[in-house]
């Protein structure tokens, strides 16, 4: 698995470098920024760690965030594989994107998710204070707050991202898209358990998903929807309180 992750990230890195060289040739002024962010780095690990440092801190703080990130990526190569899949997912799903370089450099949702991946690694290795520092700075600077104790799959896209809040122990599967101002977490009622989001789920802007509930694979949550009960696979939930529509026959029968 580790070797496959390294190979996949290297292929993506070479594609990013090709885009960066073309962009630098087309715009020499922008090329100066690209040189520091992309072209001076040897691999995707170094570039991504540096970008996380740049976005979360300055001076000594920038170096510290970058160092934590490099350490996590080197110790667990699957983190870089997930970061590669996240970036490729944006290029596939966002019709406004023409390559890998723009979301890598400019999409704060992407960097916020990768900062969370580092914080989650720190949390799992009992570096709790450092993990919470990552969460706090991502919340302050990027307006995205994801608790280090959450669990998130790969090929995940935080679109626009401002105002996204994901609480502790939330579970999110692969291939999920989440728009801005979404809240996913515990309800005020007991038992205080967190939602579980299946694979391929789409969550519209301003939605709230709260409590000990499951959102099935490929479900869709409409903008502004408040979900406090299970949503079967393939269904669409809309409104406040949420009501189900467009369910597959199998879900309706269940």
């Amino acid at each position: 698995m580790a070797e496959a992750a390294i190979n996949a990230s290297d292929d993506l890195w070479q594609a990013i470098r090709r885009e960066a060289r073309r962009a630098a040739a087309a715009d020499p002024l922008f090329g100066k920024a690209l040189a520091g962010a992309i072209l001076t780095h040897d691999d995707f690990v170094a570039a991504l760690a540096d970008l996380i440092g740049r976005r979360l801190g300055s001076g000594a703080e920038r170096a510290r965030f970058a160092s934590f990130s490099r350490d996590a990526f080197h110790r667990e190569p699957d983190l870089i594989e997930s970061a590669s899949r996240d970036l490729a997912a944006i290029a596939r799903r966002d019709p406004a994107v023409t390559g890998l370089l723009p979301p890598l450099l400019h999409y704060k949702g992407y960097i916020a998710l990768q900062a969370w991946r580092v914080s989650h690694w720190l949390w799992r290795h009992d570096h709790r204070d450092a993990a919470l520092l990552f969460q706090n700075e991502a919340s302050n600077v990027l307006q995205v707050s994801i608790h280090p104790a959450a669990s998130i799959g790969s090929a995940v896209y935080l679109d626009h991202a401002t105002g996204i809040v994901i609480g502790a122990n939330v579970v999110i599967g692969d291939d999920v898209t989440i728009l801005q101002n979404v809240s996913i977490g515990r309800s005020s009622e007991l038992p205080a358990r967190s939602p579980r989001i299946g694979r391929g789920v789409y969550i519209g802007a301003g939605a709230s998903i709260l409590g000990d509930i499951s959102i099935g694979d490929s479900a869709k949550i409409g903008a502004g929807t408040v979900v406090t009960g299970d949503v079967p696979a393939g269904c669409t939930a809309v409104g406040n309180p949420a009501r189900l529509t467009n369910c597959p026959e199998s879900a309706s029968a269940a």
Side-chain angles (χ1 to χ4, degrees), residues 99-115:
L100 298 166
L101 190 62
L104 175 63
L105 293 179
H106 307 305
Y107 281 31
K108 69 178 184 180
Y110 177 75
I111 291 298
L113 182 56
Q114 307 324 310

Side-chain angles (χ1 to χ4, degrees), residues 37-100:
I38 302 296
L39 297 174
T40 59
H41 295 295
D42 294 329
D43 55 25
F44 189 41
V45 166
L48 184 55
D50 183 59
L51 284 168
I52 292 171
R54 288 170 183 255
R55 296 300 294 268
L56 294 192
S58 59
E61 286 187 348
R62 168 182 165 180
R64 179 169 54 169
F65 284 121
S67 177
F68 276 128
S69 300
R70 278 193 303 271
D71 188 48
F73 295 150
H74 282 302
R75 289 173 181 265
E76 191 165 326
D78 283 352
L79 295 178
I80 283 294
E81 170 65 7
S82 293
S84 300
R85 295 192 68 215
D86 293 337
L87 190 59
I90 298 174
R92 287 195 308 272
R93 294 181 207 160
D94 190 337
V97 169
T98 58
L100 298 166

Side-chain angles (χ1 to χ4, degrees), residues 17-224:
R17 286 183 63 85
R18 288 193 294 271
E19 289 185 29
R21 285 193 290 266
R22 289 195 297 270
D27 185 345
L29 184 62
F30 183 47
K32 294 179 181 179
L34 285 173
I38 302 296
L39 297 174
T40 59
H41 295 295
D42 294 329
D43 55 25
F44 189 41
V45 166
L48 184 55
D50 183 59
L51 284 168
I52 292 171
R54 288 170 183 255
R55 296 300 294 268
L56 294 192
S58 59
E61 286 187 348
R62 168 182 165 180
R64 179 169 54 169
F65 284 121
S67 177
F68 276 128
S69 300
R70 278 193 303 271
D71 188 48
F73 295 150
H74 282 302
R75 289 173 181 265
E76 191 165 326
D78 283 352
L79 295 178
I80 283 294
E81 170 65 7
S82 293
S84 300
R85 295 192 68 215
D86 293 337
L87 190 59
I90 298 174
R92 287 195 308 272
R93 294 181 207 160
D94 190 337
V97 169
T98 58
L100 298 166
L101 190 62
L104 175 63
L105 293 179
H106 307 305
Y107 281 31
K108 69 178 184 180
Y110 177 75
I111 291 298
L113 182 56
Q114 307 324 310
W116 170 82
R117 295 197 184 283
V118 176
S119 77
H120 184 58
W121 184 88
L122 291 165
W123 187 267
R124 289 187 289 108
H125 290 82
D126 293 323
H127 303 298
R128 301 293 175 90
D129 289 335
L132 292 171
L133 176 65
F134 267 78
Q135 180 193 7
N136 182 67
E137 289 307 303
S139 179
N140 288 340
V141 177
L142 303 174
Q143 296 88 50
V144 178
S145 180
I146 310 175
H147 196 281
S151 177
I152 302 177
S154 62
V156 171
Y157 179 21
L158 307 184
D159 190 4
H160 296 286
T162 298
I164 289 176
V165 178
I166 300 173
N169 304 317
V170 169
V171 177
I172 297 175
D174 296 339
D175 301 302
V176 170
T177 298
I178 303 174
L179 272 69
Q180 68 270 20
N181 294 316
V182 165
S183 296
I184 308 173
R186 297 177 296 180
S187 68
S188 59
E189 300 176 357
L190 295 176
R193 299 194 181 100
S194 299
R196 298 164 298 284
I197 312 296
R199 184 186 185 102
V201 172
Y202 177 93
I203 305 174
S208 296
I209 301 173
L210 306 172
D212 182 16
I213 62 174
S214 295
I215 309 299
D217 293 348
S218 301
K220 293 180 174 62
I221 311 299

